[in-house]
Amino acid sequence: DAGITQSPRHKVTETGTPVTLRCHQTENHRYMYWYRQDPGHGLRLIHYSYGVKDTDKGEVSDGYSVSRSKTEDFLLTLESATSSQTSVYFCAISDRETQYFGPGTRLLVL
Amino acid sequence: AQKVTQAQTEISVVEKEDVTLDCVYETRDTTYYLFWYKQPPSGELVFLIRRNSFDEQNEISGRYSWNFQKSTSSFNFTITASQVVDSAVYFCALIVSYNTDKLIFGTGTRLQVFP
């Protein structure tokens, strides 16, 4: 299995609070991704990174920001959480051939 | 625009039956990659197969096989002699831009295999 961990694995928060999800890899891969999974939508790309300090938006980036100060860590921040951001969040890394996914973070925004 | 369609939302079979999961994709690119992932009830996403657009050979891995047909833009997945452990949601996905490797997912097919 690819060495990817996500923290926290579960989180309950209130509307309007900031939330940061962490993705950590031990594979030294350049590319990292954040997706959200919602019923009826499959997985949708939020943001991705193609190197330290190099990030770009995906198809559902509104309300999210990311940072990557080290190769191994990719942070996803919800500046002010809303109920529509209740979802399961997956981090992925790529060896340029295949994306491998972390275990996911289940986020509930009340 | 790129798109992946998995028209079968849910399929139920009895153990030992063969089952085919359909995947139809849309892209104007000539170079692309197709994937299947499995999401068991535990929630993780497990990579099953990657196929590039220049390789139309069918692939077989144990009870799993994949049929890639560019003429119909399809990349179908067949499980032979299904087992209860095959119960999961299966996602088909497409990458069209190798520089950024952004995956485009279908909405998934939930397979339930009953004993």
Side-chain angles (χ1 to χ4, degrees), chain A residues 66-107:
Chain A
V66 289
S67 65
R68 190 161 178 209
S69 58
K70 298 185 292 184
T71 300
E72 58 266 35
D73 290 325
F74 192 31
L75 304 180
L76 177 71
T77 297
L78 292 65
E79 300 291 348
S80 178
T82 66
S83 58
S84 64
Q85 293 176 311
T86 291
S87 187
V88 180
Y89 292 86
F90 285 96
C91 172
I93 64 176
S94 172
D95 61 4
R96 298 312 311 281
E97 290 193 352
T98 300
Q99 288 190 24
Y100 298 95
F101 288 80
T105 293
R106 191 172 296 273
L107 177 66

Side-chain angles (χ1 to χ4, degrees), chain B residues 6-7 43 46-47 69 82 84-85 97-98 106:
Chain B
Q6 296 180 255
V46 179
F47 164 73
Q69 292 193 340
S82 60
V84 173
V85 293
S97 173
Y98 193 67

Side-chain angles (χ1 to χ4, degrees), chain A residues 10-28:
Chain A
H10 303 272
K11 186 169 182 67
V12 180
T13 191
E14 293 185 349
T15 298
T17 59
V19 176
T20 295
L21 309 182
R22 179 182 183 238
C23 177
H24 179 77
Q25 62 150 328
T26 58
E27 306 296 322
N28 201 37

